[in-house]
Each structure stands twice: as C-alpha cells, then as structure tokens.
Amino acid sequence: MKKLTFLPLLLAVLFINVCSAQKTKHTFTLGDSAFLLDGKPLQIISGEMHCTRIPRAYWRARMKMAKAMGLNTIGTYVFWNAQEPEPGKFDFSGNNDIAEFIRIAKEEGLWVVLRPSPYVCAEWEFGGYPWWLLKDKNMKVRSQDPNFLKAYREYIMQLGKQIAPLLVAHGGNVLMVQIENEYGSYSNDKVYLDINRKIFREAGLDGLLFTCDGPEEMHDGYLPGYLPAVNGLDDPKQVKELINKYHDGKGPYYISEWYPGWFDSWGKEHQGSVADSDAKKLDEVLSAGLSINMYMFHGGTTRGFMNGANMSSHDPYSPQTSSYDYDAPLNESGNPTAKFYKFRAVIEKHLPAGEHLPPVPDTAKTIAIKNIDLKESAPLFANLGSPVIEQHPMSFEDLNQGYGFVLYTTTLKNAAKGLLKIKELRDYATVYLNGKRISILDRRLKQDSLQIEADKPNSVLGILVENNGRINYGPYLTDNRQGITDKVTLDGAELTGWIMFKFPFSNLSGLKFNTVNPAATAPNGPAVYKGTFKLTATGDTYLDMHGFGKGFVFLNGRNLGKYWYIGPQQTLYIPAGWLNKGKNEIEIFDELNNGHQHISALDHPVLNEVVKE
C-alpha cells in the first residue's frame, strides 16, 4: 500500500518540477558592451522569420533549420492588419497565432526578439497598418493623432495579452521588444516615440525595449534612455561608434537588420547578394562580439493581397512580388541554399569549444504536375453583383473595401472624343469602352490618361481598378487610399453618374461558372478559370504562370498570391501541406489574357525572368 501511495506523489513532484522548469524566469539586461542573460554575456545570432508568411504547419521545421545553421534567436515582426482585419475583431488564430509561434521557438531552443510595432514596413501592405484606418480621410498614422492612437492602443492592449506572458522575465523566451520601426526615416517626434513606450508598458510589455534605425536616421528615430539598434550597417567599428554616440558611450551593439539578400519588385530584375561576401562580413561581425539579426533568414511568401509597394519623391510607385524569397539562406520553400551552408560554417567557428551544430534536416520533396484542365470559367462582367451608385467615383475605403478590384462604369450620353484622365489612380486600371478593352493604365509607369473616341451616344465607359499594394515605406505612407481617389475627366470636363461594382475577392464563392470551353470567353474579358486535378502523392510544387497575364490564384480555398507576366516571379509556390491526396481545386483570375484551358506546376521556382512590356 505504501508503494502505491508513493507513486502518485512521485509523479506529482516530477510534474511540478517540469512545469517549474518550463517557466524558469531569466534576467536579460544591458551590459556596457554585451547583452547579459542571467548576468552572463549573450551574443544574439538571430534570423528574421514572419509567422504570417510561413504556413503554420511548417513553423517548427523552419526553426529546426535555424538551429542547424547556428542561430540562437528568431527576430519577427507582427502584422497589425493580419491580426485586426476589421475594427475590434482580432484574429490570433491559424497563421496569425504569434504566441504559438513564440512557444514553438522556445521548444526548439530559440530566443525571440519581437518587433510588434504597428508599423513594420516589411514589404507588407500599408506597412502593416489596417486599411480601415484610411476610412477616416483626416487620420494620420505614425503621429499624435488621437484617433490613430486610440486604435493603436486598443490593438497593443490585445496583443499584450498574447505576448506579455512570454517575455523572458515571466518565464518565456522573448528577450526584448522593439518600439516603432525605423521611425527616423519618417519623422523625429520624440513625444510620439515616448507615447509608444507608454502604450507598450501599459500593455504589460515590461521587459527590455529598443529602437532601430538606419545609421543616417538614428538621431531622429532613437528614444533617449533606450537601446538604439542599427539597420544596414555591418562595419563593427562604425556600429560601435554610432551606438556609443546615442547610448551614453556604451553598448550593447546590435545590428537589428543585416541584409544577406533583398526583396523583388514587379518588372525589375531579381535581387540578391553574394554568399561569399556575406559570409566574410558575418565572420567579421561575430568576431567583433556584436549581436546581429539577418533580415531575412527565411522570407517565405506574401500571400493574398498583402504585398506592399515603395514610392518616393524621386522614384515611381513600385509594388513588390508575392514571393518573398529574398535570396535568403533558407529559400522561399524552406530549403537551405549555398548561402545557408556558408553561414553555418562561419557560425560553427564561433561556437564554444566542444559544441557542435545539429545536422541539417532533409530538404522537402518536390513534384511537378502536368496539364491541369481548366474546364470552367466565370467572366467577371457576368458576375457584377449589386452596384453602388454615386455622382462621383468613390475610393475603395469609401466603398468599405480594403483589397481586390472595383469596376467603375458611367455612360457617355453624347458621342465623345478627347483625353480621358483619371486623377490620382491607385494603382492599375484596364479601361473598356462598350465592353472592349481599349487601354491599360499603370501607376508604376505614371500612366493616368489616354485618348478615347466614342462614335455613338450612350457608350459605356468601364474602368476596372486594382489595388496593387499600398505603400509601406516613406513619406507617402499617409497618402494610401485606393481606387479612383479623385475624379475622371474627358476633354477637361468631369464625368459623373458612376455605377460601381465591388470585387474584394476575399473568397470566390458566389461566382457563376460556365461549364463550357473557357476559350469561348469574350475577348478582352477578365475571368476566373477553374479546374480540378487528382494526386496520389503530394510535395512542394510551383505553379507555372507562363502564358497568363495578371491576377491571383486560389488553391483549395487559399489565396496563393499574385502573378504578373512582367516578372521576375513566374511561379507561385504551393507547399505540400496545402495539396490533398485525391481531389484538388484551382481557380485563377486573369484580368489581361483569355481562353486558358490548361496550367501546369513545376518542381522548381522561376523567380528571375523579367519580360519587357
């Protein structure tokens, strides 16, 4: 009997000890030259990954790869517009479950540097801000605007509930938290920066806070009394001098964004970096004792309509691709590159004596899929839905729509001839006269007008406008409304009497498909093409978009992202976990090309093919 009584007691003690070990609290502080974890120096060797860009089922696999390359920390943004898609409706589930992402990192032996600032940049739509902020025409983000701060505070309060218990001081693995993000590249309001700090503290983020900026912008972006980290500078001597200047003559020294790669933009050459040069620089930084976060270690994919865009006073609007491969050490599909192995060799040199890195996990299986038949089509103009009628064209935001497309139509009562001009077009338009496409207007190319000639009275003008990605960086961040945001004139006279049809394409339910040969689709008509295919085995694959024009793809109900014939991205990555053994359904929207009957998938990506327009 005594033995039977003792066993449950022993199990209870073991359970308590395990739980206690899992909740071990640490101290993480700033030394004069290094970070101190429980009083001992910690050199952060970090790589950036974003949970929203990686299928949830693959989070752990990507982290095992991070450990195998030698990383001890994951850096990650949190995207406000993913976590609060509608005002007051928060989503911390699925791919937005940042708390679970952090917990998995802990289980894999990784620390986390968290960057939850409502502004992230990150080549992400509107820099992470939710589109619905723009419904208030007068609201100014990244400012002391009370309406902005109210929405900001409510979001951080909710986020704090998710992440505050995961801070290192509470037994978690979050070492420190960044407030704002490269603010010096935008403005210099120290009062606003301190409001950020106060909101974070109110949300329970009571650990170490830091800011990050480029070297030229640090003066404007740092918050006195808090650690300034630097982006884009990797000369150890210069890094130390810069941080000393703004941090009372001492460190620690943290390169918060080091770029072993770069992002791609539509119509421009594929970007990247030289692995040997990057490895040499990494060795120099680690040898100097600096901490570093490589942006990106693994980029993943910007799914749906979440790509951002760049624009400045001297550079035209430039939207980014769905692929966020970034030429990173771990490629878009999570497989190690030559850069990965060169970085692994460098990091292994800096391990304490007797320590070794774990073996590199196996790479993912890839498959090709041939000749998927597209047997149904849904012409867009046959699926118009209920209209919104106003005298003047309305922006996406005034139509209560964040993403996708809007068709603007009006009737030209008299025969007309002259210059049609769309003032402040955002961002891409196909123009129709009596159902026939007559032009394409592209904000990238500063196109907003064309000559038209309507021979007959009562001709119908149609303008299909696409949100190609809101600006995510720079001074134009606050000027981000979409659609026709001003007016349309013909030969100088404003056109009125607009009938507008909304196509948010959050899903494709409700479309009416023709079960006929898709080649019968009317010329110049945008349409969704649908097909099914069966698989006996799954694997990573890459949808081959050659021959298609511009649009997006749904697979088994998931939006895979955008494609555009101009490249450089010519494939869309499909993770094995999103394919079914058995039946699969594919739906492809194309606004430019017609008559699609087949599509295939390759066993490799094509990310470096630009087509001249």
Side-chain angles (χ1 to χ4, degrees):
M1 288 295 295
K2 287 182 179 180
K3 288 182 180 179
L4 290 174
T5 303
F6 178 72
L7 183 59
L9 180 62
L10 177 62
L11 291 173
V13 171
L14 289 172
F15 176 76
I16 292 170
N17 286 339
V18 168
C19 291
S20 176
Q22 289 176 343
K23 279 291 184 182
T24 300
K25 296 180 180 180
H26 297 275
T27 61
F28 186 72
T29 57
L30 307 179
D32 287 347
S33 61
F35 294 108
L36 300 177
L37 179 65
D38 298 332
K40 298 178 181 179
L42 172 69
Q43 185 176 28
I44 295 172
I45 308 175
S46 175
E48 188 94 3
M49 297 194 296
H50 305 144
C51 63
T52 313
R53 282 180 158 130
I54 308 165
R56 180 180 177 125
Y58 296 98
W59 289 350
R60 190 179 299 277
R62 304 301 188 257
M63 291 178 187
K64 287 184 182 297
M65 283 289 187
K67 286 288 288 186
M69 200 182 81
L71 302 183
N72 58 24
T73 304
I74 296 298
T76 189
Y77 280 130
V78 186
F79 301 132
W80 182 3
N81 54 13
Q83 313 250 336
E84 193 181 2
E86 297 179 49
K89 295 185 179 179
F90 295 93
D91 181 6
F92 295 105
S93 65
N95 256 50
N96 297 328
D97 192 348
I98 183 62
E100 180 64 10
F101 185 77
I102 294 169
R103 283 190 287 265
I104 291 174
K106 184 179 181 182
E107 291 168 4
E108 294 301 322
L110 291 159
W111 303 105
V112 170
V113 172
L114 197 64
R115 312 209 285 160
S117 166
Y119 171 71
V120 297
C121 187
E123 293 70 60
W124 191 265
E125 227 269 350
F126 198 11
Y129 288 124
W131 71 269
W132 45 261
L133 292 175
L134 296 166
K135 291 170 70 173
D136 179 351
K137 293 181 180 180
N138 299 314
M139 181 182 288
K140 187 176 181 182
V141 299
R142 300 189 93 178
S143 78
Q144 297 183 51
D145 181 328
N147 291 330
F148 166 67
L149 291 176
K150 180 177 183 293
Y152 171 4
R153 181 185 174 279
E154 289 174 357
Y155 163 62
I156 294 295
M157 292 304 113
Q158 293 295 322
L159 184 63
K161 294 176 184 178
Q162 300 287 320
I163 62 178
L166 305 176
L167 299 181
V168 68
H170 303 298
N173 56 323
V174 177
L175 295 175
M176 55 183 180
V177 177
Q178 179 184 298
I179 52 175
E180 248 292 346
N181 183 54
E182 298 182 320
Y183 181 67
S185 300
Y186 180 77
S187 189
N188 59 359
D189 186 347
K190 300 296 184 184
V191 174
Y192 164 71
L193 277 176
D194 197 53
I195 290 171
N196 281 257
R197 178 192 64 82
K198 291 175 182 176
I199 291 173
F200 275 41
R201 292 304 193 209
E202 188 182 353
L205 304 178
D206 55 1
L208 200 156
L209 303 178
F210 73 101
T211 61
C212 79
D213 287 283
E216 302 299 323
E217 295 80 30
M218 187 175 285
H219 177 270
D220 290 337
Y222 88 106
L223 185 62
Y226 291 83
L227 177 69
V230 64
N231 291 353
L233 184 67
D234 55 14
D235 180 286
K237 182 175 182 291
Q238 293 178 4
V239 169
K240 289 182 178 181
E241 289 174 350
L242 183 69
I243 292 177
N244 285 341
K245 180 178 178 181
Y246 295 105
H247 198 234
D248 299 327
K250 58 186 179 181
Y253 307 104
Y254 182 45
I255 302 171
S256 42
E257 290 188 13
W258 175 64
Y259 306 114
W262 201 246
F263 60 87
D264 283 341
S265 299
W266 289 114
K268 299 181 180 179
E269 295 295 330
H270 180 55
Q271 300 295 298
S273 64
V274 179
D276 286 334
S277 300
D278 289 341
K280 182 176 182 293
K281 184 55 66 175
L282 179 62
D283 194 18
E284 292 173 5
V285 168
L286 297 183
S287 296
L290 277 61
S291 289
I292 192 170
N293 177 53
M294 55 188 69
Y295 191 102
M296 301 288 297
F297 163 67
H298 171 51
T301 313
T302 307
R303 301 292 185 184
F305 302 130
M306 286 293 114
N307 69 282
N310 277 345
M311 184 172 171
S312 69
S313 58
H314 57 276
D315 288 322
Y317 171 80
S318 179
Q320 293 118 15
T321 62
S322 290
S323 171
Y324 205 59
D325 178 86
Y326 220 90
D327 193 37
L330 213 61
N331 67 16
E332 182 178 8
S333 55
N335 290 321
T337 65
K339 191 176 291 183
F340 175 99
Y341 288 101
K342 290 180 185 295
F343 287 6
R344 172 181 161 92
V346 168
I347 295 170
E348 196 155 34
K349 282 173 48 181
H350 295 273
L351 293 177
E355 287 191 17
H356 300 281
L357 295 179
V360 179
D362 293 337
T363 57
K365 172 190 173 184
T366 61
I367 62 172
I369 308 171
K370 295 182 179 180
N371 294 328
I372 300 168
D373 290 330
L374 302 174
K375 294 184 177 181
E376 299 180 80
S377 67
L380 193 69
F381 298 156
N383 286 273
L384 292 180
S386 300
V388 176
I389 303 173
E390 290 287 344
Q391 279 296 98
H392 304 281
M394 300 170 68
S395 71
F396 276 42
E397 293 76 15
D398 290 337
L399 288 165
N400 198 34
Q401 179 174 324
Y403 316 108
F405 299 72
V406 170
L407 175 64
Y408 298 82
T409 67
T410 190
T411 300
L412 307 177
K413 294 181 180 179
N414 302 312
K417 180 179 180 180
L419 183 71
L420 181 76
K421 184 177 178 64
I422 307 174
K423 189 174 181 182
E424 299 299 335
L425 169 66
R426 313 283 179 79
D427 301 301
Y428 187 89
T430 46
V431 184
Y432 299 84
L433 193 61
N434 295 323
K436 180 181 179 181
R437 191 175 81 209
I438 59 173
S439 187
I440 294 171
L441 300 177
D442 188 343
R443 186 182 181 189
R444 291 179 314 124
L445 306 177
K446 298 185 177 181
Q447 298 169 338
D448 66 357
S449 56
L450 69 148
Q451 292 288 335
I452 71 165
E453 185 171 350
D455 297 330
K456 302 176 182 178
N458 297 317
S459 291
V460 177
L461 174 69
I463 307 171
L464 181 65
V465 180
E466 176 188 2
N467 168 3
N468 226 1
R470 289 183 178 87
I471 295 163
N472 61 260
Y473 179 80
Y476 294 97
L477 190 73
T478 57
D479 184 16
N480 246 333
R481 288 163 70 83
Q482 287 290 314
I484 297 178
T485 61
D486 196 317
K487 61 185 177 182
V488 181
T489 60
L490 178 57
D491 207 20
E494 182 177 0
L495 296 178
T496 57
W498 291 92
I499 302 173
M500 293 160 280
F501 300 91
K502 299 161 60 175
F503 294 97
F505 288 130
S506 52
N507 60 66
L508 300 181
S509 63
L511 290 178
K512 295 178 181 178
F513 285 85
N514 301 320
T515 54
V516 296
N517 190 324
T521 302
N524 296 322
V528 176
Y529 298 85
K530 182 163 68 173
T532 60
F533 60 99
K534 292 184 178 180
L535 295 175
T536 56
T538 64
D540 284 357
T541 192
Y542 303 86
L543 202 63
D544 184 2
M545 303 312 302
H546 288 97
F548 287 76
K550 188 178 194 300
F552 57 86
V553 179
F554 272 72
L555 175 78
N556 296 328
R558 299 178 187 267
N559 191 329
L560 296 180
K562 299 178 182 178
Y563 68 90
W564 194 352
Y565 77 92
I566 63 175
Q569 177 184 346
Q570 299 291 351
T571 53
L572 278 168
Y573 167 55
I574 301 176
W578 289 4
L579 290 165
N580 302 321
K581 288 184 179 179
K583 184 180 178 181
N584 295 269
E585 181 178 80
I586 191 167
E587 297 166 296
I588 306 165
F589 175 70
D590 194 337
E591 60 185 300
L592 297 182
N593 294 353
N594 304 104
H596 302 298
Q597 299 183 56
H598 308 283
I599 193 168
S600 298
L602 308 174
D603 60 4
H604 62 277
V606 180
L607 301 177
N608 57 354
E609 186 181 311
V610 176
V611 176
K612 291 184 179 181
E613 300 170 68

